[in-house]
Amino acid sequence: MKIEISQNPRKDLVSNMSHVKCMIGPSILNSDLSNLYNESQNLLDSGADYLHLDVMDGTFVPNLTFGHPVVKCLRNKIPKAFFETHMMVQNPEQWIEPMADANVDQYTFHIEPVNNVPQVIRKIKESGMKVGLAIKPKTPVDVISEYIESADLVLIMTVEPGFGGQKFMQDMMPKVKWLRDNYPTLNIEVDGGVGANTIDDCAKAGANWIVSGTAVINCPDRKQAISTLKSSVQKYLS
Ligand SMILES: O=C(CO)[C@H](O)[C@H](O)COP(=O)(O)O
Ligand SMILES: [Fe+2]
């Protein structure tokens, strides 16, 4: 008897993500959150490759946003887009199952508050999500080296996590360059203060997943804003 395995509607999209290619993921943090679905759909229609959803718990960072119930509602309305949750939370292990249940594609968590990083990575994988490892500006990049082989992406924060609209920290670029030099096929994401004026620094250092919040949200022509980010990254990708 042939056993039918149910198909993930986003399977092709997910498997295409394993190569180093340019991905632009707007952050909806500073959008009109009362209109979350329309804002998200508008960003996807404007050329976004994925949605970057900032989850904050008020403990790991001094701000509070939304959790899995909101992400699940959004997923019901947007079944096909790639969802990354940026987990700025004190206990990332706690939210793995609920986020997997909300059909999140990639679970990106900060390693700083975690005692057993390999265990969290394993649980994320077992739940069927991809793994992103995030570090704050003050965390040295070599701290994550031992976990990189088992991750799908590393996120280098270019602001202190917690709020949108902050100034880009150019001095994080050596971390990105070190990663790109040592891990040529790694997906490297930057997040915080990234826009038309700072994208070239990120692209030149080797970032290929680009989170941009206010620079895209506040731009009257979001399509143009996303296309500017993409062109810069593509210029530097070999
Ligand atoms: O994780 C974040 C803040 O902690 C956000 O993703 C980030 O700040 C995006 O917004 P902006 O581009 O306006 O800085
Ligand atoms: Fe973020």
Side-chain angles (χ1 to χ4, degrees):
M1 192 180 85
K2 194 169 169 243
I3 298 170
E4 294 289 339
I5 298 171
S6 67
Q7 290 289 314
N8 174 350
R10 301 180 314 286
K11 182 174 166 287
D12 292 341
L13 192 67
V14 173
S15 58
N16 281 340
M17 310 288 282
S18 61
H19 307 288
V20 174
K21 61 176 193 173
C22 171
M23 300 288 289
I24 308 297
S27 157
I28 48 83
L29 182 60
N30 278 14
S31 68
D32 175 4
L33 291 175
S34 72
N35 201 9
L36 182 58
Y37 162 64
N38 286 319
E39 288 278 42
S40 302
Q41 192 56 57
N42 173 272
L43 290 163
L44 293 164
D45 294 342
S46 302
D49 298 300
Y50 66 105
L51 290 180
H52 177 90
L53 304 169
D54 289 301
V55 176
M56 304 185 189
D57 68 352
T59 301
F60 180 68
V61 289
N63 198 5
L64 196 59
T65 53
F66 48 81
H68 53 93
V70 170
V71 175
K72 192 169 184 175
C73 290
L74 189 63
R75 172 56 87 203
N76 288 339
K77 289 205 163 183
I78 303 182
K80 290 198 174 144
F82 190 95
F83 279 13
E84 175 192 42
T85 49
H86 176 192
M87 304 300 297
M88 287 164 273
V89 299
Q90 194 60 27
N91 183 7
E93 200 168 331
Q94 186 177 359
W95 310 112
I96 294 172
E97 274 187 31
M99 285 301 183
D101 179 59
N103 272 318
V104 163
D105 297 292
Q106 180 163 291
Y107 192 90
T108 297
F109 69 99
H110 279 265
I111 63 161
E112 289 90 354
V114 177
N115 287 328
N116 191 339
V117 173
Q119 177 173 298
V120 177
I121 292 176
R122 184 175 45 77
K123 288 193 174 174
I124 296 169
K125 285 186 172 171
E126 281 170 2
S127 77
M129 295 184 288
K130 286 179 172 281
V131 178
L133 302 176
I135 55 169
K136 296 205 275 187
K138 289 194 184 81
T139 305
V141 68
D142 52 341
V143 170
I144 39 173
S145 319
E146 62 181 300
Y147 313 120
I148 286 178
E149 296 301 336
S150 42
D152 295 289
L153 168 145
V154 170
L155 163 56
I156 299 295
M157 286 305 294
T158 44
V159 296
E160 277 301 330
F163 299 92
Q166 301 182 76
K167 188 172 180 291
F168 175 76
M169 298 170 76
Q170 212 277 339
D171 56 343
M172 294 299 112
M173 293 305 98
K175 291 188 189 179
V176 176
K177 177 147 178 19
W178 183 86
L179 284 172
R180 180 53 71 222
D181 289 348
N182 288 284
Y183 303 92
T185 61
L186 179 67
N187 284 320
I188 306 171
E189 185 177 51
V190 283
D191 180 15
V194 180
N197 297 331
T198 53
I199 186 63
D200 277 350
D201 284 344
C202 302
K204 207 170 169 183
N208 65 307
W209 279 50
I210 309 299
V211 178
S212 182
T214 46
V216 171
I217 299 295
N218 293 347
C219 184
D221 187 345
R222 291 179 174 180
K223 212 175 238 179
Q224 182 57 49
I226 290 173
S227 145
T228 300
L229 297 172
K230 200 164 263 190
S231 313
S232 172
V233 177
Q234 270 159 353
K235 218 166 46 194
Y236 291 97
L237 277 185
S238 46

